[in-house]
Structures are given as structure tokens and as C-alpha cells.
């Protein structure tokens, strides 16, 4: 046990045989861990009973390597998906740190005309537990559909329109299990970050509820320390949802409850030991050992959507018996 040394330009560890556990999660056989600096240094708390044999590469992340020609990167839609989707598990292990900069994630055409998406986390096939940024083109209606596992989302740009009304940027919406609607986008189009199949049948909610979370609206914000404002919008035995405004100059370690925390950056940016969280980035931590230590906030400040104490929730999720063998 102990903290591994990490040189200036990082370290990678690949487990050949055995396993170990650190603040980043359980690294079983054939798992891979990369850390960029000493603040992210793995603190090994235990090694499996069979020991652990690892391959390590270090001090190489600033190497003048051949890499790839980034001019070949597609600029918009990177590839298409077919309706019959394969089973995908992406950032599905909720015991591990999940970190996604969606500025680096391709935009995927979905096969439903006028809709594309950027996948943040997902487990399942066509029916999946997922967190996704969805892009809707302007002036297009979409078929009525039912959310068998519920959905919650934040409007990131444009205006969301459906049976329940018109919701501009910064709207937060929860549509409960079994709810249905018929979206119809106007001339602005719309982009949302949406969480699917992450509600519980054990906690009843209204079929629909919405909140105006525009940070320019002063009501409801509570000072939670220097350069930090918090507004709580939803709480149950399984989760708490808040929005926070961090002004330039904010720093410190964020509190992480027993069952974890997720942070999505709506506007602005911040930096922690897990990396640089720019606009529309996502960070999930499972416990207090992984708690984000905020070292800086961008000059424009940072506005975040936070969901916490939910990673052990009795959520709908997906039927794992459908996973291909």
C-alpha cells in the first residue's frame, strides 16, 4: 500500500495479472489507469490476494510523439448509428472517477432525422441508462414517446418545446417514469444534457416539473462561502440536485456525500486534480477520497449542475439480462 510517485509528465498503469484498489477505483485484471500529475497520484489502499503485476509507462505525456494528424478529425457529425444499437458500457462503473470533456466527444447522428448526440455515460443497447448531450435541429417536430425510466435534463441552448410548454436556456426539467411528450423545436433549435433511466419507482414524482435556473434570476440563491452560491431544486431519499455559481477566486475541496457526486459545467470552467473541466464537461466521483479539489475557476466564473448522493439509488436503469453473452 502507499502513494505511487508520479513524475512531472504523468504515469500510466496497466494491470497484467491480479488487482489493486486506489482512490480512483478498483483496478482489476487488464484495467488501465492514467494520471497526469502528483495531485492525481494513485493512493494504493489494497492489493488483491493474488498480488498484482503491472506494466507502467511514465513521464511521457508531454512527449513529442508521432500521434495523429488532427486536421483529419471530422468537424461535425462523426458517424451514424443504426436503430438497432449494440450494447455499450461507457463510464458505467459508478465506483470509479468518470471525467468527460465533451468538447473532445464526436457528435453522432442518431438515425432519427434532426437529432444527434454526444455520449457521456451509457450502459445498455437501444434502451439504456445514459447521460447525453442531445442536439435538435430547428423547426422540426418529433414523434410522441414515453419515458419508461424517466428523464431529467437541462436546456443548454435554444428553446425546448413540448406539450408542457416552452423552456429556454437554463431550464431544468424532470419528466417522471411513464410520462410522455411530443417535442417540437422552433427556429432556435435546442441542445440539452439529459439523464435517462436514473429515476426510482420507490419515489413518486409529478409527471412533469420544471424550474427556471437562469443564474441572472436572484431569488433562491444562498451564499455558501466566499465566491460560491448554491440553489437546491430537488431532493429525495435517493438524490439531491443543486445548481452552483462559482466566481473567479473560488477554490477548495468539494464535499462528497456517501453515495457520490456528479458535476456538469453549463457555463465557464474549473480545474481540479482530475483535470480541466471546460464548458459542457462532466465529472463523477464516487466517494470523499475522490473529492474534487478546485484549484482555479476560469475568468468568466463557472455555473454547474450537480447531482449527488445518488450512485446507490434504486433506479430503473436497464435489464442486465439483455446484455449479450
Amino acid at each position: 500500500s502507499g502513494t505511487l510517485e508520479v513524475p512531472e509528465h504523468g504515469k500510466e498503469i496497466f494491470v497484467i495479472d491480479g488487482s489493486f484498489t486506489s482512490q480512483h477505483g478498483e483496478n482489476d485484471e487488464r484495467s488501465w489507469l492514467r494520471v497526469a500529475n502528483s495531485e492525481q497520484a494513485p493512493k494504493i489502499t489494497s492489493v488483491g490476494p493474488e498480488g498484482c503485476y503491472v506494466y507502467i509507462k511514465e513521464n511521457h505525456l508531454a512527449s513529442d510523439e508521432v500521434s495523429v494528424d488532427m486536421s483529419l478529425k471530422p468537424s461535425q457529425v462523426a458517424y451514424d448509428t443504426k436503430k438497432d444499437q449494440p450494447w455499450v458500457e461507457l463510464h458505467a462503473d459508478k465506483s470509479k472517477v468518470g471525467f468527460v470533456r465533451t468538447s473532445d466527444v464526436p457528435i453522432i447522428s442518431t438515425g432519427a432525422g434532426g437529432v444527434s448526440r454526444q455520449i457521456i455515460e451509457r450502459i445498455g443497447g437501444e434502451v439504456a441508462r445514459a447521460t447525453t448531450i442531445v442536439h435538435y435541429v430547428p423547426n422540426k417536430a418529433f414523434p410522441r414517446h414515453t419515458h419508461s425510466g424517466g428523464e431529467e435534463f437541462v436546456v443548454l441552448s435554444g428553446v425546448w418545446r413540448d406539450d408542457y410548454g416552452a423552456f429556454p436556456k437554463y431550464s431544468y426539467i424532470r419528466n417522471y417514469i411513464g410520462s410522455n411528450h411530443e417535442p417540437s423545436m422552433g427556429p432556435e433549435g435546442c441542445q440539452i444534457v439529459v439523464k435517462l433511466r436514473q429515476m426510482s419507482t420507490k419515489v413518486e414524482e409529478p409527471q412533469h416539473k420544471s424550474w427556471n435556473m437562469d443564474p441572472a434570476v436572484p431569488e433562491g440563491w444562498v451564499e455558501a462561502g466566499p465566491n460560491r452560491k448554491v440553489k437546491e431544486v430537488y431532493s429525495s431519499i435517493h438524490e439531491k440536485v443543486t445548481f452552483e455559481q462559482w466566481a473567479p477566486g473560488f477554490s477548495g475541496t468539494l464535499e462528497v456525500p456517501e453515495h457520490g457526486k456528479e458535476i456538469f459545467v453549463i457555463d465557464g470552467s474549473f480545474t481540479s486534480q482530475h483535470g480541466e473541466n471546460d464548458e459542457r464537461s462532466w465529472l463523477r466521483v464516487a466517494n470523499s477520497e475522490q473529492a474534487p479539489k478546485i484549484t482555479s475557476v476560469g475568468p468568466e466564473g463557472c455555473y454547474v449542475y450537480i447531482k449527488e448522493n445518488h450512485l446507490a439509488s434504486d433506479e430503473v436503469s436497464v435489464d442486465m439480462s439483455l446484455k449479450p453473452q
Side-chain angles (χ1 to χ4, degrees):
S1 64
T3 301
L4 297 185
E5 309 86 357
V6 177
E8 181 182 3
H9 299 304
K11 189 180 201 103
E12 289 183 49
I13 305 169
F14 182 86
V15 178
I16 301 171
D17 294 321
S19 62
F20 73 90
T21 302
S22 76
Q23 80 274 28
H24 299 296
E26 181 184 347
N27 283 70
D28 54 2
E29 189 172 296
R30 301 190 183 182
S31 62
W32 171 81
L33 173 66
R34 182 188 66 212
V35 295
N37 52 51
S38 58
E39 289 189 346
Q40 301 170 0
K43 299 171 184 175
I44 310 299
T45 54
S46 65
V47 169
E50 73 283 36
C52 189
Y53 184 40
V54 296
Y55 156 52
I56 294 177
K57 188 176 175 78
E58 64 183 11
N59 213 31
H60 61 299
L61 298 182
S63 167
D64 184 23
E65 60 189 15
V66 175
S67 194
V68 294
D69 182 353
M70 292 301 290
S71 68
L72 300 177
K73 180 180 178 181
S75 58
Q76 281 296 324
V77 174
Y79 57 93
D80 291 342
T81 59
K82 298 187 182 299
K83 187 67 175 173
D84 185 17
Q85 291 185 2
W87 187 276
V88 173
E89 293 188 18
L90 178 65
H91 301 297
D93 186 343
K94 292 185 277 189
S95 70
K96 295 183 178 180
V97 173
F99 177 44
V100 176
R101 290 164 53 101
T102 64
S103 54
D104 298 328
V105 174
I107 301 172
I108 307 166
S109 175
T110 64
V115 183
S116 55
R117 65 188 176 198
Q118 294 171 281
I119 299 172
I120 294 174
E121 62 166 344
R122 187 177 181 91
I123 181 168
E126 176 59 28
V127 175
R129 177 197 187 275
T131 302
T132 310
I133 293 179
V134 186
H135 304 246
Y136 296 89
V137 300
N139 300 313
K140 188 170 178 64
F142 300 92
R144 179 171 297 280
H145 57 276
T146 298
H147 290 286
S148 58
E151 69 167 357
E152 62 181 295
F153 61 91
V154 179
V155 179
L156 302 176
S157 70
V159 179
W160 174 268
R161 290 180 170 86
D162 64 7
D163 312 53
Y164 299 111
F167 304 94
K169 181 178 179 178
Y170 301 124
S171 297
Y172 172 61
I173 294 166
R174 295 179 69 92
N175 292 327
Y176 187 57
I177 298 163
S179 62
N180 69 84
H181 59 172
E182 187 175 358
S184 180
M185 301 305 136
E188 313 90 347
C190 190
Q191 295 179 13
I192 64 174
V193 58
V194 60
K195 301 180 78 65
L196 297 174
R197 306 188 72 81
Q198 297 178 42
M199 291 181 173
S200 172
T201 57
K202 304 292 178 61
V203 179
E204 286 193 23
E205 299 184 38
Q207 287 291 289
H208 166 85
K209 191 167 183 181
S210 66
W211 294 259
N212 176 7
M213 297 308 300
D214 189 333
V217 176
E219 289 78 18
W221 291 99
V222 176
E223 298 282 350
N227 301 308
R228 183 183 185 185
K229 294 180 181 179
V230 177
K231 183 186 284 190
E232 182 178 322
V233 294
Y234 177 80
S235 182
S236 76
I237 60 171
H238 288 312
E239 63 179 299
K240 182 169 79 170
V241 177
T242 60
F243 288 70
E244 297 198 13
Q245 299 183 57
W246 302 337
F250 173 68
S251 64
T253 301
L254 298 184
E255 312 84 357
V256 177
E258 180 182 4
H259 298 305
K261 191 181 200 103
E262 287 183 50
I263 304 168
F264 183 87
V265 177
I266 301 171
D267 294 324
S269 62
F270 74 90
T271 302
S272 77
Q273 81 274 27
H274 299 296
E276 182 184 346
N277 284 68
D278 57 359
E279 188 171 294
R280 301 190 181 184
S281 63
W282 171 83
L283 175 65
R284 181 192 65 216
V285 295
N287 51 53
S288 57
E289 289 189 348
Q290 301 169 359
K293 300 170 184 174
I294 309 297
T295 54
S296 65
V297 168
E300 71 281 40
C302 190
Y303 187 40
V304 295
Y305 156 49
I306 293 177
K307 190 173 171 81
E308 63 184 9
N309 214 29
H310 62 299
L311 297 181
S313 169
D314 183 24
E315 61 188 15
V316 173
S317 194
V318 292
D319 183 353
M320 293 299 290
S321 70
L322 300 175
K323 180 179 178 179
Q325 299 301 312

